[in-house]
Amino acid sequence: MAHPSFVPAVLPVTDLYAVADPALLGIIRSAAVGRPVSRRESFRGVWYACWKTGGDGAVMLVDDGHAYQHALLTRDFRSWAVVGDRREDLGPVVSRTVRELVREDLLRRGAVTFHGAAAELAGGGGGVLLAGASGAGKTSAAIRVGRGGGRAVGTDRSFLLEWGGTRILVGLPESTRLSVGSAEAMGIARALRERSPIRGLNPFAQGGTDRSGEGPRTAKEPKVSLSNAEVHELLGCGFVAATPADSLVVLESMPHASPRLDDLDPAEAVAALRPHLLAPDPDYRSRWLTAEPGSEAPEAATARLSALVDGRPVRRLVWDPALHCDDRVAQLLSPDTGRTVPDTTARATRAERNVRR
């Protein structure tokens, strides 16, 4: 299924300015005193005090407990200014703001959000959505495709939408989140620790404050967010912003299982994909960078999902990502692969035993 990489039409221009100015931030804080303000939640647990300015403008001031003290100013919800307390804090705040503006524009255009990855297979193999529960191998599979001649589109949240008559998959500018185990398995844990002084965080320290700016650190599984450029630099994984949605795959992890592909009819496809549809998104509670913030209705998102998957091949891949997420992953994800997938795991294990003997 050969086709050129999909490049969406140019989006409307959004101006974004950033400045580190503690004095100006102090003036903005003083302006909030005694003023009636509303409250907006962006990422889970991250709150802003908001008030309107002249015309259609608004000011959003992050709560005092946030790791990166800043305010967002807009005159029309299209042009934005970020005012930070420290220069080293501007990068994470600006990158997150850009990511949020992209996410909200996609939702406005009718996109549905998946807890999933997406990739463009090498050699014109097409674009594939990878949905599944945590631990199903979504991020690892997308990065493996990107390291093997294809390109990753998204690794944590991916969007499916109709654009100019084409159904496409879109990723976010900063979407890869890796745990300690994943970073160690990919061989980049040491490199990430060495970057801690530069990034202003130690992603794998026990306890402490999560400097990602996206809520408190959980003791269960600390993670670090990486930009697409960092994933490319550390892992050699290529990225593309969007690709046609040629197929959709629901990943299901089953320890020690031989890989198996099952074709899903439209009703089965919607039922299998629905648990991985983020509507409403549990982490991003609302479209908060708009004049009238609001949450996405799950019923509307499910209806859009049914229309978007119609006519697209949807499969379920039952596999053990710890055994099968290797050089075979592109073959496993290809829409041309048959139901019976060669499993070389047993043969490889026997060969290793023979070598040891």
Side-chain angles (χ1 to χ4, degrees):
M1 189 179 300
H3 54 65
S5 296
F6 183 83
V7 180
V10 177
L11 292 173
V13 175
T14 296
D15 295 324
L16 182 62
Y17 304 91
V19 60
D21 191 331
L24 178 56
L25 188 60
I27 293 172
I28 294 171
R29 287 196 184 104
S30 298
V33 177
R35 177 190 296 270
V37 299
S38 60
R39 303 272 292 164
R40 292 193 185 194
E41 188 179 24
S42 57
F43 191 83
R44 178 176 51 190
V46 178
W47 288 89
Y48 288 78
C50 306
W51 63 91
K52 293 184 177 181
T53 59
D56 297 325
V59 176
M60 303 182 191
L61 177 66
V62 76
D63 280 359
D64 290 341
H66 194 270
Y68 300 130
Q69 285 298 295
H70 66 278
L72 303 175
L73 292 74
T74 182
R75 61 188 177 192
D76 53 10
F77 288 90
R78 289 200 30 156
S79 298
W80 293 86
V82 178
V83 179
D85 189 38
R86 303 181 303 176
R87 182 181 295 273
E88 59 266 32
D89 293 349
L90 286 179
V93 176
V94 169
S95 64
R96 192 200 63 167
T97 303
V98 170
R99 184 185 64 190
E100 288 297 277
L101 290 170
V102 171
R103 183 182 69 86
E104 294 197 7
D105 185 75
L106 291 170
L107 293 177
R108 182 179 62 82
R109 295 172 182 270
V112 292
T113 312
F114 284 97
H115 178 214
E120 183 179 86
L121 302 177
V128 56
L129 173 73
L130 307 169
S134 295
K138 305 180 296 296
T139 298
S140 298
I143 290 177
R144 176 67 69 169
V145 169
R147 298 178 74 180
R151 290 185 287 186
V153 177
T155 56
D156 182 62
R157 275 169 172 74
S158 297
F159 301 83
L160 175 64
L161 73 154
E162 187 93 19
W163 191 309
T166 302
R167 292 169 198 172
I168 65 170
L169 298 166
V170 185
L172 289 176
E174 181 176 343
S175 62
T176 302
R177 302 182 69 235
L178 296 179
S179 65
V180 181
S182 295
E184 289 177 343
M186 294 178 184
I188 62 171
R190 180 176 178 180
L192 287 177
R193 290 191 176 99
E194 290 174 349
R195 285 169 175 244
S196 294
I198 300 173
R199 297 173 59 89
L201 57 86
N202 185 344
F204 306 129
Q206 295 300 316
T209 302
D210 180 4
R211 298 287 289 172
S212 68
E214 295 185 344
R217 178 187 302 283
T218 59
K220 181 179 178 181
E221 189 182 26
K223 292 189 176 183
V224 60
S225 295
L226 302 178
S227 68
N228 295 352
E230 286 177 311
V231 175
H232 178 69
E233 178 186 348
L234 295 171
L235 291 166
C237 174
F239 274 88
V240 66
T243 188
D246 295 309
S247 64
L248 299 88
V249 176
V250 181
L251 299 178
E252 183 177 321
S253 176
M254 185 175 294
H256 311 297
S258 297
R260 186 185 78 246
L261 279 165
D262 297 323
D263 295 318
L264 304 178
D265 64 34
E268 292 171 331
V270 172
L273 289 167
R274 180 62 187 88
H276 313 297
L277 185 65
L278 299 179
D281 193 314
D283 290 325
Y284 301 90
R285 303 303 178 90
S286 66
R287 294 173 56 191
W288 62 284
L289 292 177
T290 57
E292 299 296 334
S295 298
E296 189 175 15
E299 297 81 8
T302 301
R304 290 199 301 275
L305 172 64
S306 299
L308 288 168
V309 302
D310 184 42
R312 288 290 181 275
V314 182
R315 290 178 161 188
R316 179 187 289 109
L317 172 58
V318 180
W319 70 338
D320 185 340
L323 296 177
H324 306 127
C325 192
D326 51 27
D327 292 340
R328 293 168 291 171
V329 72
Q331 178 191 1
L332 292 173
L333 299 177
S334 172
D336 298 326
T337 300
R339 292 169 60 90
T340 303
V341 182
D343 183 7
T344 60
T345 304
R347 292 196 296 273
T349 302
R350 286 195 294 269
E352 291 169 1
R353 288 173 181 163
N354 291 334
V355 170
R356 287 196 294 269
R357 288 174 184 170

